[in-house]
Amino acid sequence: MTFRTTLFSLVVVGLSLTGQAHAADPCADYVPQAKPQNVGRDIVGQELDQIQEQGHMLFAVYEDYPPYSWEEGGEARGVDVEIARIIAEDIGVEARFNFVSAGENLDADLRNNIWRGALIGGRIANVMMRIPYDSAFKCRVEQVVFTGQYAGESIAIAYDKATYPDDKPVPAYFRFDTVGVENDSISDFYLSGFVGGQLQNNIRRFPTTGAAMAALNAGDVMAVMGPLGELEHGLTNTSDVHQPPLAGFAVSQWTLGVAVNFRYRPLSYFVDDAINYALQDGRIPAIYQRYGLTHQTPER
């Protein structure tokens, strides 16, 4: 299961919450869940003063997920890694990283990495990066503070420039042209259902968006649909990317932030302040620029 599938589970939650009450108050129809049982400090995390005293804090980041988080030569790299280092620097400690795989859905990721821990071999982090923000979903996970919105993300289409020298491709083109997607991603679901499934024969599914971009640059597909940042990371001099209108795509853009255990709100305030300062002074947009990515301003 990939992070992109995890995100799709959040999108499904958002789309299922319909009605006038939700439009006015996203938490109006939610019945609070039972409070989690008390667990030891070594399981749930640490207070801000303890983090500062020990001199380091732990961030959960998704593994093998360029350009956002991966390991190269034993060193943590990526946009989310550098933003985490900004947070830790502002708190006055060292950033350490736990590279995690995505669970079945976002609930599982937060449960395993922020507020309870995996049943076998899991580690609780002080902060988890790259968490899609949704006002309705946050009502349903009371054990987590969703904060620190640092970027937006949106769906785009990368394409081979020689194949499309004039008109850039839109989804309707894929009735005749091949398009790559990450398997079980929101782009996969969207294109699979587009115009009654007429694109199915031309959809090529890959384990990751990065693999789809490699296929595009090798000439195996004509286009790739996925998150803008991942597409930009895979561009070469033969490919480009654009963002056409996407008819019927209910959630083609979203905001990304961080998650902190609900018991440690002072830490969450400090993290949000650090991110806000780094947005205002340009440090976070500069990180995106260094990786050749477009920083999309988050809704805060």
Side-chain angles (χ1 to χ4, degrees), residues 205-261:
R205 295 175 175 86
F206 297 87
T208 65
T209 301
M213 287 299 294
L216 171 66
N217 294 320
D220 296 331
V221 294
M222 300 177 183
V224 174
M225 187 173 184
L228 176 62
E230 293 179 74
L231 300 183
E232 288 181 325
H233 183 67
L235 292 177
T236 67
N237 59 1
T238 66
S239 53
D240 206 347
V241 64
H242 77 130
Q243 292 187 285
L246 298 172
F249 206 145
V251 187
S252 61
Q253 56 186 3
W254 56 95
T255 296
L256 294 162
V258 306
V260 179
N261 188 284

Short mmCIF file of all heavy atoms in Angstrom, two decimals, residues 205-261:
data_model
loop_
_atom_site.label_atom_id
_atom_site.label_comp_id
_atom_site.label_asym_id
_atom_site.label_seq_id
_atom_site.Cartn_x
_atom_site.Cartn_y
_atom_site.Cartn_z
N ARG A 205 -0.41 0.98 -15.61
CA ARG A 205 -0.25 1.15 -14.17
C ARG A 205 1.16 0.75 -13.72
O ARG A 205 1.68 -0.27 -14.17
CB ARG A 205 -1.31 0.34 -13.43
CG ARG A 205 -2.72 0.87 -13.72
CD ARG A 205 -3.81 0.01 -13.10
NE ARG A 205 -5.12 0.63 -13.31
CZ ARG A 205 -5.85 0.45 -14.41
NH1 ARG A 205 -5.41 -0.34 -15.38
NH2 ARG A 205 -7.02 1.05 -14.53
N PHE A 206 1.72 1.56 -12.81
CA PHE A 206 3.09 1.36 -12.34
C PHE A 206 3.11 1.38 -10.81
O PHE A 206 2.20 1.92 -10.18
CB PHE A 206 4.00 2.47 -12.88
CG PHE A 206 4.11 2.48 -14.38
CD1 PHE A 206 3.19 3.17 -15.16
CD2 PHE A 206 5.13 1.77 -15.01
CE1 PHE A 206 3.28 3.17 -16.55
CE2 PHE A 206 5.24 1.76 -16.40
CZ PHE A 206 4.32 2.46 -17.16
N PRO A 207 4.15 0.81 -10.20
CA PRO A 207 4.21 0.79 -8.73
C PRO A 207 4.27 2.17 -8.10
O PRO A 207 3.75 2.38 -7.00
CB PRO A 207 5.50 0.01 -8.43
CG PRO A 207 5.79 -0.76 -9.67
CD PRO A 207 5.26 0.06 -10.80
N THR A 208 4.90 3.13 -8.78
CA THR A 208 5.02 4.49 -8.27
C THR A 208 4.88 5.48 -9.43
O THR A 208 5.03 5.11 -10.61
CB THR A 208 6.38 4.73 -7.60
OG1 THR A 208 7.41 4.63 -8.60
CG2 THR A 208 6.64 3.72 -6.49
N THR A 209 4.63 6.74 -9.08
CA THR A 209 4.61 7.78 -10.10
C THR A 209 5.99 7.94 -10.72
O THR A 209 6.13 8.21 -11.91
CB THR A 209 4.13 9.11 -9.50
OG1 THR A 209 2.81 8.93 -8.96
CG2 THR A 209 4.07 10.21 -10.56
N GLY A 210 7.05 7.77 -9.91
CA GLY A 210 8.40 7.83 -10.43
C GLY A 210 8.65 6.81 -11.52
O GLY A 210 9.30 7.09 -12.53
N ALA A 211 8.14 5.58 -11.32
CA ALA A 211 8.29 4.54 -12.34
C ALA A 211 7.51 4.89 -13.60
O ALA A 211 7.95 4.63 -14.72
CB ALA A 211 7.82 3.20 -11.77
N ALA A 212 6.34 5.51 -13.43
CA ALA A 212 5.56 5.95 -14.59
C ALA A 212 6.31 7.02 -15.36
O ALA A 212 6.31 7.03 -16.60
CB ALA A 212 4.20 6.46 -14.13
N MET A 213 6.96 7.94 -14.64
CA MET A 213 7.75 8.98 -15.32
C MET A 213 8.95 8.40 -16.05
O MET A 213 9.32 8.86 -17.13
CB MET A 213 8.19 10.03 -14.31
CG MET A 213 7.09 10.93 -13.81
SD MET A 213 6.31 11.89 -15.14
CE MET A 213 7.66 12.96 -15.65
N ALA A 214 9.57 7.37 -15.50
CA ALA A 214 10.67 6.70 -16.19
C ALA A 214 10.17 6.08 -17.49
O ALA A 214 10.87 6.12 -18.52
CB ALA A 214 11.29 5.64 -15.29
N ALA A 215 8.96 5.53 -17.45
CA ALA A 215 8.38 4.95 -18.66
C ALA A 215 8.08 6.03 -19.69
O ALA A 215 8.28 5.83 -20.90
CB ALA A 215 7.11 4.18 -18.31
N LEU A 216 7.62 7.19 -19.24
CA LEU A 216 7.37 8.31 -20.15
C LEU A 216 8.67 8.73 -20.83
O LEU A 216 8.71 8.90 -22.06
CB LEU A 216 6.78 9.48 -19.37
CG LEU A 216 6.65 10.81 -20.12
CD1 LEU A 216 5.65 10.70 -21.27
CD2 LEU A 216 6.25 11.94 -19.18
N ASN A 217 9.71 8.89 -20.07
CA ASN A 217 10.98 9.35 -20.63
C ASN A 217 11.65 8.30 -21.50
O ASN A 217 12.50 8.63 -22.33
CB ASN A 217 11.90 9.80 -19.49
CG ASN A 217 11.37 11.04 -18.77
OD1 ASN A 217 10.85 11.96 -19.40
ND2 ASN A 217 11.47 11.05 -17.45
N ALA A 218 11.25 7.03 -21.33
CA ALA A 218 11.76 5.96 -22.17
C ALA A 218 10.91 5.76 -23.43
O ALA A 218 11.25 4.93 -24.28
CB ALA A 218 11.82 4.66 -21.38
N GLY A 219 9.80 6.50 -23.52
CA GLY A 219 8.94 6.39 -24.69
C GLY A 219 7.92 5.27 -24.62
O GLY A 219 7.28 4.94 -25.62
N ASP A 220 7.72 4.70 -23.42
CA ASP A 220 6.79 3.59 -23.27
C ASP A 220 5.35 4.05 -23.09
O ASP A 220 4.41 3.26 -23.30
CB ASP A 220 7.20 2.71 -22.10
CG ASP A 220 8.56 2.05 -22.32
OD1 ASP A 220 8.90 1.81 -23.50
OD2 ASP A 220 9.27 1.79 -21.33
N VAL A 221 5.15 5.27 -22.63
CA VAL A 221 3.81 5.87 -22.56
C VAL A 221 3.92 7.30 -23.09
O VAL A 221 5.02 7.86 -23.17
CB VAL A 221 3.23 5.87 -21.13
CG1 VAL A 221 2.97 4.46 -20.64
CG2 VAL A 221 4.15 6.62 -20.17
N MET A 222 2.77 7.87 -23.44
CA MET A 222 2.77 9.22 -24.01
C MET A 222 2.61 10.31 -22.95
O MET A 222 3.01 11.45 -23.17
CB MET A 222 1.64 9.34 -25.04
CG MET A 222 1.76 8.38 -26.20
SD MET A 222 0.34 8.53 -27.32
CE MET A 222 0.72 7.23 -28.50
N ALA A 223 2.02 9.93 -21.81
CA ALA A 223 1.76 10.90 -20.76
C ALA A 223 1.69 10.18 -19.42
O ALA A 223 1.60 8.95 -19.36
CB ALA A 223 0.45 11.65 -21.03
N VAL A 224 1.72 10.96 -18.35
CA VAL A 224 1.57 10.44 -16.99
C VAL A 224 0.72 11.42 -16.21
O VAL A 224 0.90 12.64 -16.31
CB VAL A 224 2.93 10.27 -16.28
CG1 VAL A 224 2.74 9.86 -14.81
CG2 VAL A 224 3.79 9.23 -16.99
N MET A 225 -0.20 10.88 -15.41
CA MET A 225 -1.04 11.72 -14.55
C MET A 225 -0.72 11.42 -13.09
O MET A 225 -0.62 10.25 -12.70
CB MET A 225 -2.52 11.48 -14.82
CG MET A 225 -3.45 12.44 -14.12
SD MET A 225 -5.16 12.19 -14.67
CE MET A 225 -5.97 13.51 -13.78
N GLY A 226 -0.52 12.48 -12.30
CA GLY A 226 -0.20 12.28 -10.89
C GLY A 226 0.03 13.61 -10.20
O GLY A 226 -0.17 14.68 -10.78
N PRO A 227 0.50 13.58 -8.94
CA PRO A 227 0.78 14.82 -8.20
C PRO A 227 1.87 15.63 -8.89
O PRO A 227 2.88 15.08 -9.35
CB PRO A 227 1.24 14.31 -6.83
CG PRO A 227 0.64 12.95 -6.70
CD PRO A 227 0.66 12.39 -8.08
N LEU A 228 1.68 16.94 -8.94
CA LEU A 228 2.59 17.82 -9.68
C LEU A 228 4.04 17.66 -9.24
O LEU A 228 4.95 17.57 -10.07
CB LEU A 228 2.15 19.28 -9.48
CG LEU A 228 3.06 20.35 -10.11
CD1 LEU A 228 3.12 20.20 -11.62
CD2 LEU A 228 2.58 21.75 -9.72
N GLY A 229 4.30 17.63 -7.93
CA GLY A 229 5.67 17.55 -7.45
C GLY A 229 6.39 16.31 -7.93
O GLY A 229 7.56 16.35 -8.34
N GLU A 230 5.72 15.16 -7.90
CA GLU A 230 6.35 13.92 -8.34
C GLU A 230 6.60 13.94 -9.85
O GLU A 230 7.59 13.39 -10.33
CB GLU A 230 5.49 12.73 -7.95
CG GLU A 230 5.41 12.50 -6.46
CD GLU A 230 4.53 11.33 -6.10
OE1 GLU A 230 4.94 10.19 -6.30
OE2 GLU A 230 3.39 11.58 -5.64
N LEU A 231 5.68 14.56 -10.59
CA LEU A 231 5.88 14.67 -12.04
C LEU A 231 7.06 15.59 -12.34
O LEU A 231 7.90 15.27 -13.19
CB LEU A 231 4.61 15.19 -12.71
CG LEU A 231 3.34 14.34 -12.55
CD1 LEU A 231 2.20 14.98 -13.35
CD2 LEU A 231 3.55 12.91 -12.98
N GLU A 232 7.13 16.72 -11.66
CA GLU A 232 8.23 17.66 -11.90
C GLU A 232 9.58 17.00 -11.58
O GLU A 232 10.57 17.24 -12.28
CB GLU A 232 8.05 18.91 -11.04
CG GLU A 232 6.92 19.82 -11.50
CD GLU A 232 6.78 21.05 -10.65
OE1 GLU A 232 7.01 20.97 -9.42
OE2 GLU A 232 6.42 22.13 -11.19
N HIS A 233 9.60 16.19 -10.54
CA HIS A 233 10.85 15.53 -10.16
C HIS A 233 11.35 14.58 -11.26
O HIS A 233 12.56 14.37 -11.38
CB HIS A 233 10.64 14.75 -8.87
CG HIS A 233 11.88 14.10 -8.35
ND1 HIS A 233 12.96 14.81 -7.87
CD2 HIS A 233 12.22 12.78 -8.22
CE1 HIS A 233 13.90 13.98 -7.48
NE2 HIS A 233 13.49 12.74 -7.68
N GLY A 234 10.43 14.03 -12.05
CA GLY A 234 10.81 13.07 -13.08
C GLY A 234 10.99 13.64 -14.46
O GLY A 234 11.26 12.90 -15.41
N LEU A 235 10.87 14.95 -14.62
CA LEU A 235 10.98 15.55 -15.95
C LEU A 235 12.40 15.49 -16.49
O LEU A 235 13.38 15.58 -15.74
CB LEU A 235 10.50 17.01 -15.91
CG LEU A 235 9.02 17.27 -15.66
CD1 LEU A 235 8.77 18.78 -15.59
CD2 LEU A 235 8.15 16.63 -16.73
N THR A 236 12.51 15.36 -17.81
CA THR A 236 13.78 15.48 -18.51
C THR A 236 13.60 16.52 -19.61
O THR A 236 12.53 17.15 -19.72
CB THR A 236 14.20 14.14 -19.14
OG1 THR A 236 13.30 13.80 -20.19
CG2 THR A 236 14.21 13.03 -18.09
N ASN A 237 14.62 16.67 -20.47
CA ASN A 237 14.49 17.66 -21.55
C ASN A 237 13.52 17.22 -22.63
O ASN A 237 13.19 18.00 -23.53
CB ASN A 237 15.86 17.99 -22.16
CG ASN A 237 16.55 16.74 -22.72
OD1 ASN A 237 16.00 15.64 -22.67
ND2 ASN A 237 17.75 16.92 -23.24
N THR A 238 13.01 15.98 -22.55
CA THR A 238 12.04 15.51 -23.55
C THR A 238 10.60 15.57 -23.04
O THR A 238 9.68 15.27 -23.79
CB THR A 238 12.34 14.06 -23.97
OG1 THR A 238 12.14 13.18 -22.85
CG2 THR A 238 13.77 13.93 -24.48
N SER A 239 10.42 15.93 -21.78
CA SER A 239 9.08 15.92 -21.19
C SER A 239 8.77 17.24 -20.52
O SER A 239 9.66 18.02 -20.18
CB SER A 239 8.94 14.76 -20.20
OG SER A 239 9.97 14.80 -19.23
N ASP A 240 7.48 17.48 -20.33
CA ASP A 240 7.01 18.69 -19.67
C ASP A 240 5.73 18.35 -18.92
O ASP A 240 5.23 17.23 -18.99
CB ASP A 240 6.79 19.81 -20.70
CG ASP A 240 6.92 21.20 -20.08
OD1 ASP A 240 6.94 21.30 -18.84
OD2 ASP A 240 7.01 22.17 -20.85
N VAL A 241 5.17 19.34 -18.20
CA VAL A 241 4.00 19.09 -17.39
C VAL A 241 3.06 20.29 -17.47
O VAL A 241 3.51 21.44 -17.65
CB VAL A 241 4.40 18.81 -15.91
CG1 VAL A 241 5.06 20.05 -15.29
CG2 VAL A 241 3.22 18.34 -15.08
N HIS A 242 1.76 20.04 -17.36
CA HIS A 242 0.79 21.13 -17.29
C HIS A 242 -0.40 20.69 -16.45
O HIS A 242 -0.52 19.52 -16.07
CB HIS A 242 0.34 21.57 -18.70
CG HIS A 242 -0.65 20.65 -19.35
ND1 HIS A 242 -1.82 21.10 -19.92
CD2 HIS A 242 -0.65 19.30 -19.52
CE1 HIS A 242 -2.49 20.07 -20.43
NE2 HIS A 242 -1.82 18.99 -20.21
N GLN A 243 -1.27 21.65 -16.13
CA GLN A 243 -2.42 21.38 -15.28
C GLN A 243 -3.70 21.87 -15.96
O GLN A 243 -4.14 22.99 -15.72
CB GLN A 243 -2.24 22.05 -13.91
CG GLN A 243 -1.11 21.43 -13.09
CD GLN A 243 -1.03 21.97 -11.69
OE1 GLN A 243 -0.58 23.09 -11.48
NE2 GLN A 243 -1.47 21.19 -10.72
N PRO A 244 -4.29 21.02 -16.78
CA PRO A 244 -5.54 21.41 -17.44
C PRO A 244 -6.72 21.29 -16.49
O PRO A 244 -6.61 20.64 -15.43
CB PRO A 244 -5.65 20.38 -18.57
CG PRO A 244 -5.03 19.14 -17.98
CD PRO A 244 -3.87 19.65 -17.14
N PRO A 245 -7.86 21.87 -16.81
CA PRO A 245 -9.07 21.62 -16.02
C PRO A 245 -9.41 20.13 -16.05
O PRO A 245 -9.25 19.48 -17.09
CB PRO A 245 -10.14 22.45 -16.74
CG PRO A 245 -9.37 23.47 -17.52
CD PRO A 245 -8.09 22.82 -17.92
N LEU A 246 -9.84 19.59 -14.91
CA LEU A 246 -10.15 18.16 -14.82
C LEU A 246 -11.62 18.01 -14.44
O LEU A 246 -11.99 18.10 -13.27
CB LEU A 246 -9.24 17.50 -13.78
CG LEU A 246 -7.73 17.54 -14.08
CD1 LEU A 246 -6.93 17.05 -12.90
CD2 LEU A 246 -7.41 16.75 -15.35
N ALA A 247 -12.44 17.80 -15.45
CA ALA A 247 -13.88 17.72 -15.24
C ALA A 247 -14.23 16.54 -14.33
O ALA A 247 -13.76 15.42 -14.53
CB ALA A 247 -14.59 17.56 -16.59
N GLY A 248 -15.05 16.81 -13.32
CA GLY A 248 -15.53 15.76 -12.44
C GLY A 248 -14.53 15.27 -11.41
O GLY A 248 -14.82 14.32 -10.69
N PHE A 249 -13.38 15.91 -11.32
CA PHE A 249 -12.38 15.51 -10.32
C PHE A 249 -12.66 16.31 -9.06
O PHE A 249 -12.29 17.48 -8.96
CB PHE A 249 -10.98 15.80 -10.85
CG PHE A 249 -9.91 14.92 -10.24
CD1 PHE A 249 -8.83 14.50 -10.99
CD2 PHE A 249 -9.99 14.51 -8.91
CE1 PHE A 249 -7.84 13.69 -10.45
CE2 PHE A 249 -9.01 13.71 -8.35
CZ PHE A 249 -7.93 13.29 -9.13
N ALA A 250 -13.30 15.68 -8.07
CA ALA A 250 -13.78 16.41 -6.90
C ALA A 250 -12.65 16.94 -6.03
O ALA A 250 -12.75 18.02 -5.45
CB ALA A 250 -14.69 15.51 -6.06
N VAL A 251 -11.55 16.19 -5.93
CA VAL A 251 -10.45 16.61 -5.07
C VAL A 251 -9.15 16.51 -5.85
O VAL A 251 -8.39 15.57 -5.71
CB VAL A 251 -10.37 15.75 -3.79
CG1 VAL A 251 -9.32 16.33 -2.82
CG2 VAL A 251 -11.72 15.68 -3.10
N SER A 252 -8.90 17.51 -6.69
CA SER A 252 -7.69 17.50 -7.51
C SER A 252 -6.56 18.32 -6.88
O SER A 252 -5.46 18.38 -7.41
CB SER A 252 -7.98 18.06 -8.91
OG SER A 252 -8.44 19.39 -8.83
N GLN A 253 -6.84 18.94 -5.73
CA GLN A 253 -5.80 19.66 -5.00
C GLN A 253 -6.09 19.58 -3.51
O GLN A 253 -7.24 19.45 -3.10
CB GLN A 253 -5.72 21.12 -5.47
CG GLN A 253 -7.00 21.90 -5.38
CD GLN A 253 -6.86 23.27 -6.01
OE1 GLN A 253 -5.83 23.64 -6.55
NE2 GLN A 253 -7.92 24.06 -5.93
N TRP A 254 -5.02 19.64 -2.71
CA TRP A 254 -5.18 19.50 -1.28
C TRP A 254 -4.02 20.19 -0.57
O TRP A 254 -3.05 20.60 -1.20
CB TRP A 254 -5.26 18.02 -0.88
CG TRP A 254 -4.10 17.19 -1.32
CD1 TRP A 254 -2.99 16.87 -0.60
CD2 TRP A 254 -3.94 16.53 -2.59
NE1 TRP A 254 -2.14 16.08 -1.33
CE2 TRP A 254 -2.70 15.85 -2.56
CE3 TRP A 254 -4.72 16.46 -3.75
CZ2 TRP A 254 -2.22 15.11 -3.64
CZ3 TRP A 254 -4.25 15.72 -4.83
CH2 TRP A 254 -3.02 15.05 -4.77
N THR A 255 -4.15 20.32 0.75
CA THR A 255 -3.14 20.97 1.57
C THR A 255 -2.39 19.93 2.38
O THR A 255 -2.99 18.97 2.88
CB THR A 255 -3.79 22.00 2.50
OG1 THR A 255 -4.39 23.03 1.71
CG2 THR A 255 -2.77 22.63 3.43
N LEU A 256 -1.08 20.13 2.55
CA LEU A 256 -0.24 19.21 3.30
C LEU A 256 0.28 19.88 4.57
O LEU A 256 0.68 21.05 4.55
CB LEU A 256 0.94 18.77 2.45
CG LEU A 256 0.58 17.93 1.22
CD1 LEU A 256 1.72 17.92 0.23
CD2 LEU A 256 0.21 16.52 1.63
N GLY A 257 0.27 19.13 5.66
CA GLY A 257 0.80 19.63 6.92
C GLY A 257 1.46 18.52 7.69
O GLY A 257 2.00 17.57 7.10
N VAL A 258 1.43 18.62 9.01
CA VAL A 258 2.08 17.63 9.87
C VAL A 258 1.08 17.15 10.92
O VAL A 258 0.02 17.74 11.11
CB VAL A 258 3.34 18.20 10.56
CG1 VAL A 258 4.29 18.78 9.53
CG2 VAL A 258 2.97 19.26 11.60
N ALA A 259 1.46 16.06 11.60
CA ALA A 259 0.65 15.52 12.68
C ALA A 259 1.49 15.41 13.95
O ALA A 259 2.67 15.05 13.89
CB ALA A 259 0.11 14.14 12.30
N VAL A 260 0.85 15.72 15.10
CA VAL A 260 1.49 15.63 16.41
C VAL A 260 0.50 14.96 17.35
O VAL A 260 -0.72 15.16 17.23
CB VAL A 260 1.85 17.04 16.94
CG1 VAL A 260 2.49 16.95 18.33
CG2 VAL A 260 2.79 17.77 15.98
N ASN A 261 0.99 14.16 18.29
CA ASN A 261 0.12 13.52 19.27
C ASN A 261 -0.69 14.57 20.03
O ASN A 261 -0.16 15.61 20.44
CB ASN A 261 0.95 12.68 20.24
CG ASN A 261 0.10 11.85 21.17
OD1 ASN A 261 -0.49 12.36 22.12
ND2 ASN A 261 0.00 10.56 20.88
#
